[in-house]
Amino acid sequence: MRIDKDVKVSSFNAAAKSAQTKSPKETAAGENQNVVMSDKIELSSKNIDIAKLVAKINAAPSIRQDKVSSIKEAIQNGTYNVKGDLVAKAVLKKTLMDEIL
């Protein structure tokens, strides 16, 4: 079998010319040529909202002085009325939670 240099070169040139003249649709449908895939990350704004809420919680006092003042005043005036049922429920709830945890 004899291989001729001119035949190889002409075949290569014909193939290269054919690839250059293909339309983008033909190229995309026929081959995956130099397709670059990349990842994309999008962060939501929820972390900003959470940070704002945490800042508000941290800024709030741990003792609500207005409630404490009104209860103290009611105790001094003798108008503070506590329902025994609510106290009993709170004590039981605290006791049960302490045992569970």
Side-chain angles (χ1 to χ4, degrees):
M1 177 179 186
R2 183 175 152 203
I3 299 174
D4 199 6
K5 279 186 176 181
D6 294 333
V7 174
K8 283 185 187 177
V9 172
S10 63
S11 297
F12 177 75
N13 288 339
K17 190 174 183 180
S18 172
Q20 289 174 352
T21 58
K22 284 185 180 178
S23 70
K25 286 183 182 178
E26 290 173 335
T27 303
E31 302 173 10
N32 263 343
Q33 291 183 352
N34 300 329
V35 176
V36 177
M37 302 291 285
S38 65
D39 293 335
K40 182 178 179 182
I41 297 174
E42 287 187 29
L43 300 176
S44 69
S45 63
K46 287 184 181 182
N47 62 339
I48 296 170
D49 296 337
I50 292 171
K52 287 179 184 178
L53 290 174
V54 169
K56 283 184 180 181
I57 290 170
N58 291 336
S62 60
I63 298 173
R64 297 185 341 202
Q65 195 59 43
D66 57 334
K67 281 200 147 224
V68 172
S69 298
S70 65
I71 291 173
K72 278 186 180 180
E73 186 179 326
I75 290 171
Q76 288 174 353
N77 294 339
T79 58
Y80 185 67
N81 187 9
V82 179
K83 295 182 179 180
D85 292 345
L86 295 178
V87 173
K89 285 180 183 179
V91 169
L92 288 172
K93 183 178 179 181
K94 173 96 171 107
T95 303
L96 291 173
M97 291 304 288
D98 287 345
E99 286 181 21
I100 291 172
L101 299 175

